[in-house]
Amino acid sequence: MQRRRLGGLEVSVVGLGCATMTPFYDEPDTAAAIETLQRARELGVDFLDTSDAYGQGKNEELIARAIKGHRDDYVIATKFGNLGIAPACRARTVGRNMSGPAARRACSASRPT
């Protein structure tokens, strides 16, 4: 797998978007999602993209389970600030909060336990 510099990080040129691995559009297969995350590492894909809005934090929890014992083998990009997805239009957020306190809460919630 080719690698690229991303700021001070080095990541695989192929990243894995994880939004659909938790309820977002439909009910996903958790076992298949975990298998996909682990297989990505075997293939050299170490750049994962997630958000605390995907499954209301469940996406980050799923990633934590899947990469347990191999955390240092991945670079995880997570987003924060979306307060929810409008039920009638999943592409629109209900609101945003990108304040300093919200950023600190999101980072605390994303830390592995």
Side-chain angles (χ1 to χ4, degrees), residues 1-6 9-17 40-41 43-49 73-75:
M1 175 63 61
Q2 292 181 347
R3 318 249 338 130
R4 294 247 168 83
R5 300 288 304 161
L6 181 62
L9 303 171
E10 184 178 294
V11 298
S12 56
V13 296
V14 175
L16 179 59
R41 179 176 157 264
L43 296 173
V45 176
D46 64 359
F47 187 44
L48 307 179
D49 175 67
D73 295 338
Y74 294 89
V75 174

Side-chain angles (χ1 to χ4, degrees), residues 2-82:
Q2 292 181 347
R3 318 249 338 130
R4 294 247 168 83
R5 300 288 304 161
L6 181 62
L9 303 171
E10 184 178 294
V11 298
S12 56
V13 296
V14 175
L16 179 59
C18 301
T20 60
M21 293 182 178
T22 48
F24 193 71
Y25 295 112
D26 201 356
E27 280 299 318
D29 181 336
T30 301
I34 290 172
E35 186 178 321
T36 299
L37 287 159
Q38 293 170 344
R39 180 71 174 133
R41 179 176 157 264
E42 293 170 8
L43 296 173
V45 176
D46 64 359
F47 187 44
L48 307 179
D49 175 67
T50 186
S51 170
D52 62 2
Y54 302 161
Q56 299 177 343
K58 299 294 183 204
N59 197 261
E60 292 173 326
E61 293 171 8
L62 172 79
I63 291 170
R65 276 197 326 243
I67 69 171
K68 188 173 183 162
H70 298 281
R71 173 59 187 95
D72 291 341
D73 295 338
Y74 294 89
V75 174
I76 303 171
T78 189
K79 300 167 289 295
F80 77 96
N82 291 317

